[in-house]
Amino acid sequence: RFITKEAPFCFVAGTRVAKEPIPRVPSFSCFCHQRPEFIIMARAMEMAVGLNKGHKVTKNAAKLRPVRRKGTLNKRVKFVRDIVREVVGFAPYEKRAMELLKVGKDKRALKFVKKRLGAHIRGKRKRDELSGHLQAMRKAQAGH
């Protein structure tokens, strides 16, 4: 069997083929896969198969679940952490990292903190936090 002009529909792709003269090709390959410029797109309607299958509906906007808020900084939590930082001070590894930052060895400080904390992202976050503390200390000294 061969696909000729009388077969304007491709069952593999589920699309209509343009009314152009179609050369005779074996039935295991369809014309639309060989010459995609002759394809007319199928209309958007409810179909049982294909990429756009199923009944067309409008999507409901789902309410955000509480787990999405996890990790966001609360006013009270920030206040408590600031008080603890003020009373307790810095850990020994944080002091050493701050010394490295004072000298200007940012990359070395990142490597050091990363090794202590165990993750690259956490190391970057800690380095930024410590450099922010250093800037605040400099600002406070300049203000006095």
Side-chain angles (χ1 to χ4, degrees):
R1 288 185 30 185
F2 293 97
I3 297 176
T4 60
K5 281 193 249 182
E6 291 78 49
F9 190 80
C10 168
F11 291 100
V12 177
T15 55
R16 295 222 172 265
V17 179
K19 302 249 189 294
E20 291 287 323
I22 301 171
R24 295 168 64 87
V25 290
S27 62
F28 56 82
S29 68
C30 61
F31 180 69
C32 68
H33 286 97
Q34 294 174 0
R35 305 273 307 271
E37 61 267 15
F38 287 125
I39 297 173
I40 298 171
M41 296 300 290
R43 277 184 289 166
M45 61 173 96
E46 294 179 14
M47 295 177 70
V49 293
L51 292 173
N52 299 319
K53 70 178 182 178
H55 184 67
K56 299 286 177 258
V57 294
T58 55
K59 207 167 188 179
N60 287 336
K63 190 177 165 187
L64 285 177
R65 300 199 325 246
V67 73
R68 292 288 180 186
R69 289 195 311 262
K70 184 177 178 180
T72 54
L73 195 60
N74 198 342
K75 273 196 301 187
R76 182 163 180 259
V77 172
K78 186 179 184 325
F79 175 72
V80 170
R81 284 184 187 161
D82 289 342
I83 295 291
V84 169
R85 173 66 80 187
E86 197 176 313
V87 173
V88 176
F90 293 97
Y93 84 95
E94 290 175 330
K95 289 178 185 172
R96 186 169 161 193
M98 286 170 79
E99 287 299 320
L100 288 168
L101 287 170
K102 280 180 191 172
V103 176
K105 295 191 174 186
D106 291 10
K107 191 171 181 180
R108 185 76 220 164
L110 174 62
K111 281 181 77 171
F112 174 70
V113 173
K114 184 173 81 168
K115 185 150 172 99
R116 293 301 162 100
L117 294 175
H120 185 70
I121 295 280
R122 289 179 182 179
K124 286 201 302 189
R125 206 173 289 145
K126 179 62 78 172
R127 182 184 63 176
D128 293 342
E129 179 192 334
L130 294 176
S131 61
H133 279 293
L134 281 173
Q135 283 179 352
M137 288 160 85
R138 281 194 209 111
K139 203 176 203 181
Q141 284 179 351
H144 285 243

